[in-house]
Amino acid sequence: GKPVVIHSRDADEETAAALAGFQGTVVLHCFSAPGLLSAALERGYYVSFAGNVTYPKAAELREAAARVPVDRLLAETDSPYLAPQPVRGRPNEPAHVVHTVAALARVRGEDADELARRIDANATAAFGLR
């Protein structure tokens, strides 16, 4: 079936409780909830990072991104919001996701092009894009 896409903000415990026992595919969109990460990893959710993972003060998000298994990692723009640091202050657009992927690759110690391929495969699986 189709995945559920969840945007949880300042509601880690409530989100985890609401999704307890849910058997379908879950995508944590625009992830900004490090407190929700342990439950997400235990339950096999996809965790999607937006441009805010590139912000200087977002060390907790980068630490979370380093912990997500590569087969559960997604990247997104959240356009027109959350433009990555190199283009911060401008409207975001899909092309800017390269900056987010580059930041994810850096924090994970992975090659950005290879990580981009993995993220594309993950999105294809999560959203049934074949």
Side-chain angles (χ1 to χ4, degrees), residues 22-114:
F22 180 74
Q23 296 300 310
T25 300
V26 173
V27 174
L28 295 178
H29 150 74
C30 197
F31 187 76
S32 65
L36 188 53
L37 187 64
S38 291
L41 299 183
E42 287 169 17
R43 298 173 185 180
Y45 297 167
Y46 289 94
V47 183
S48 186
F49 292 87
N52 54 337
V53 76
T54 69
Y55 297 170
K57 294 182 178 176
E60 270 194 312
L61 276 187
R62 286 187 291 279
E63 290 166 15
R67 291 181 52 205
V68 176
V70 72
D71 66 334
R72 293 286 146 185
L73 187 70
L74 294 172
E76 61 178 279
T77 58
D78 200 38
S79 292
Y81 308 109
L82 296 178
Q85 191 64 31
V87 291
R88 197 166 178 183
R90 292 186 240 167
N92 206 358
E93 61 182 69
H96 295 161
V97 77
V98 297
H99 300 296
T100 301
V101 172
L104 292 171
R106 268 193 308 277
V107 74
R108 296 170 62 85
E110 297 177 23
D111 177 75
D113 290 337
E114 177 57 28

